[in-house]
Amino acid sequence: MKIYPVINCKDFACVAEKIEICQNLNLSDNTIHIDIADGLFTPNISWNNPEELKNILLERYSDIILSVHLMTVDPLDEISRWEGIPVVEFILPFEALKDPASAAEFVRSKKISPALSFDPDTALESVAPYIPLFDKVQVLAVSAGPSGQSISPGMIERIREIKKMFPSVIIEIDGGVIPSVVSEAAEAGADRAVSGTYIFSSESPAEAYEELKKASE
């Protein structure tokens, strides 16, 4: 299983600080996950000014690539703001998409991988028809919003169900990710996990990151 650190910040100073911390992590695929929340689709507002990020990535951290989770009411409208930034995928919330199939194709037209996320309260049956249209599916194990939430009941079983329905799909778990959750998710069939609070609230983010990687083995 691959482990990606999550940056969920209110301002760019926080974003820059956490990117610097990530330089001491043995990152999977050199990838960092960034949460973007607009305060409309979510109860919280996070940093959302890609222009501030562009220069430091190009000048100081040219090896980093980003997975961007657009937790906004109009996620497709946000994508153009990230042009010129090394984004490997956009994760789109099912609940915000009027036409998931068209959304997936739109992201692909930008030569970026589309991934689909959905809330713990959203029935798997309503999402399942669209999962094959995306490259990856993210099991959002907490309600979309701030970091530090505990995993919702039934999310490990949800991973297991998705893997049974779509054996080849790449599954990511996001929310409440600690070593015990990583271990259970890996056993259930998850391929990736993202974690913010467990890593960045630790006295040693590098050790916390390694603990998560070890738990996935």
Side-chain angles (χ1 to χ4, degrees):
M1 176 188 280
K2 295 177 179 178
I3 308 294
Y4 300 150
V6 177
I7 292 177
N8 188 326
C9 287
K10 291 184 178 181
D11 55 50
F12 183 65
C14 171
V15 173
E17 177 186 4
K18 289 187 175 180
I19 289 177
E20 181 62 29
I21 290 172
C22 286
Q23 299 311 293
N24 295 319
L25 308 182
N26 184 19
L27 292 175
S28 298
D29 301 333
N30 288 331
T31 298
I32 296 173
H33 181 109
I34 293 187
D35 281 345
I36 303 299
D38 63 359
L40 299 172
F41 183 77
T42 58
N44 68 308
I45 299 175
S46 68
W47 168 88
N48 186 12
N49 187 2
E51 275 299 317
E52 290 181 305
L53 187 59
K54 184 183 294 185
N55 288 338
I56 70 164
L57 287 182
L58 294 177
E59 295 173 7
R60 298 173 57 188
Y61 309 118
S62 59
D63 57 335
I64 287 177
I65 56 176
L66 302 177
S67 168
V68 180
H69 190 183
L70 296 171
M71 295 181 286
T72 66
V73 292
D74 295 305
L76 299 184
D77 290 345
E78 296 287 334
I79 288 175
S80 63
R81 302 180 63 199
W82 292 83
E83 290 182 4
I85 298 174
V87 176
V88 67
E89 70 182 0
F90 285 113
I91 303 173
L92 310 178
F94 172 76
E95 297 82 5
L97 300 179
K98 297 180 178 68
D99 184 347
S102 295
E105 287 307 310
F106 177 76
V107 174
R108 282 201 181 90
S109 74
K110 305 296 182 180
K111 301 190 184 307
I112 296 173
S113 176
L116 185 67
S117 71
F118 62 109
D119 194 82
D121 293 331
T122 299
L124 175 56
E125 291 75 13
S126 63
V127 182
Y130 302 100
I131 289 176
L133 305 178
F134 289 78
D135 295 338
K136 308 167 191 73
V137 61
Q138 182 194 79
V139 172
L140 191 56
V142 299
S143 296
S147 297
Q149 301 180 64
S150 298
I151 186 172
S152 300
M155 294 300 100
I156 299 300
E157 183 56 35
R158 172 166 282 187
I159 292 170
R160 191 170 283 110
E161 291 178 31
I162 294 172
K163 201 66 174 182
K164 184 176 180 180
M165 296 168 69
F166 307 102
S168 62
V169 72
I170 296 173
I171 302 174
E172 175 178 281
I173 182 170
D174 181 358
V177 172
I178 59 177
S180 60
V181 170
V182 167
S183 180
E184 293 178 5
E187 186 277 329
D191 305 282
R192 311 188 327 187
V194 299
S195 179
T197 300
Y198 189 79
I199 295 171
F200 293 113
S201 295
S202 171
E203 292 184 4
S204 173
E207 289 182 11
Y209 183 74
E210 290 303 317
E211 287 172 5
L212 293 171
K213 291 173 68 175
K214 185 175 180 180
S216 72
E217 297 174 352

